[in-house]
Every structure is written in structure tokens, then in C-alpha cells.
Amino acid sequence: MAQQFKLPDGRNLDYLISGAKDGFPLIWIHGTPGSYLPIPSFSAVCEKKGVKVITASRAGYGGSTRKKGRRVVDAVPDLQALNEHLGVKQCIVGGWSGGGPHALACAARLPGCLAALSVAGGAPYDAEGLDFFAGQGEDNVQEFKAALKGEEELQEFCQAMRPDLLKADPAGLTETMSSILPDVDKQAMLENKEIGQFMCDMFQEGLKHNSDGWVDDDITFVGPWGFDLSEIKVPVFQYQGTEDKMVPVGQGEWIAKHLPQEHFRNHLMQGEGHISIFLGQMDCMIDELLAVAKAEQ
């Protein structure tokens, strides 16, 4: 059950602490759409490794107040305020899918961030030399084309999808998302009961009131992020699957080329998709982040 924190500008922020109560802090940033709910097995891995997991619903999702017109970088002051509220001075940061760009923003701008992890995180829409739509599934193409036309068109798209996401079970969700799921992700959704149910629960929490967080996320992704990758001075780890149809491999390759190389390690996972890439890699992801944290202490 989420706790709620009042941000300095008066907005509410839903957040949850899981994993090791007195462990080293990891801010984990959800995807799009999403919410503060963590994958239970991820929290369990973190607890074993002495990591405290801090998750929050981005502005507009669940009980977190909307911040219309936000940019990717605007997640940083919200998380900074939450860290100050919790007494966190140093942390590691991770983000999955739509959380990836926000994790990179934290690597660039969040005080006390020692390292960042981006799992299947996208590249900027206007990135030079990138075909943003190449390799995306049909629903993703339609979604981002709606985002480029503005909020009204995008609200219409998201609100049409929202009822199915709110009532779906893992099988129904897999069917709803079929155009953006490669076979390896469909298999993960249907055969791994935890990941399928987690996806349903996360969507239902994030979208329980409206589609505003989802809409605002998509608009931020096709607009200026508000920071430059060259600002990043801490280690960044990227995991990208070759079969991903939500954030295709071309976007991961673009990020890999444009992050400061002295701080970057890339994991290109052959045969993995957007969801399957997370399964079986949790230990490695946390170990890499923890190694940096321990070296800095």
C-alpha cells in the first residue's frame, strides 16, 4: 500500500519502500503506463542483497498529482524532494521502459546519484540519425503518432485503450498488447505468472483514475527531455533486447553511442524482448549498481 508525500509545490506523490528496510537506497522508476508497484521477486532479490527499494508513481499516475507540461527531467526534483523527506543522501537509480529516460535524467541531475541503470529505455524522438519508429509494433506507432498531434488526440487513443487495461488478466493483456509483443515476451507474460500479474496490477494502479500520466509521459518522450546525455558523469548500465518491439534495438544502439563512454557499459541481449529481458537478469543488474555504490563509500 502506497504512502503519500506532499511535494514542495503542493502536489501529492505516491511512493512505497520495499526490499531491505535499512539497505542501500535504490530508486526504481516505472515504465509507461505504470505505477509505484514493484515486481515482488525484484524486491525479494534486493532484500537479499541489502538494497532498499524506493518506488513512486510519476505525476499523473494513481494518487500522484498531475504536472501538466512536464518534461523527462522534471521527475528529478520530485525524486530529490522524496529523498530529502526520507533522509537519503546517496542512492543508485534504475528505470525500465519509460523509466529509462528518467533514470538517465537522474544520472545527469539528481544529487547523490552514484550510478544508473536503464532497462529497455527509449531514445529521444528527435535524435539525430535515428529512425524513431523503426522496429516498433503497430500500437506503439499509432500511440506516438497521436502524441505528435497533441494532447487531445493522445487522450482519445489512451482512453480507448484504458478500459481493456483496467480489466485485463495476463492472457487478456497479452492479447491486447499483441502487436507490440514479440513471441519471447508473449511467452514470458503467459508462462511466468508473476510477471503477467505484475503488469496487470501496475497498469490498473497507474490508470485507476484517468489516463493523464500516460498521456503526459508520451508527450514528454516526443518533446525535449530537458537535459543532455553529455551531462552524465556517473556510471550507466544499459540492458537492451534485440527482439524488443516497444523500444527497438536501434534506440538502444543510439543511446549506447551517445552516452559518455568512460561511464557506460552496454548489455545487448540476443533473443530478448521488452519484458523477457528483465527475467533472469535481476541479480546482475543489482550487482553492477551495488559495486559502484560500495566503491564510492
Side-chain angles (χ1 to χ4, degrees), residues 186-203:
K186 291 175 181 176
Q187 183 177 350
M189 289 280 289
L190 295 173
E191 294 184 4
N192 186 303
K193 292 182 180 179
E194 182 192 48
I195 197 73
Q197 191 58 52
F198 160 75
M199 296 287 290
C200 293
D201 293 344
M202 181 182 64
F203 289 163

Side-chain angles (χ1 to χ4, degrees), residues 136-140 175-181 186 245:
Q136 290 193 31
E138 182 61 24
D139 281 350
N140 255 38
E175 178 61 30
T176 296
M177 298 175 64
S178 61
S179 80
I180 55 175
L181 294 178
K186 291 175 181 176
K245 296 171 71 173

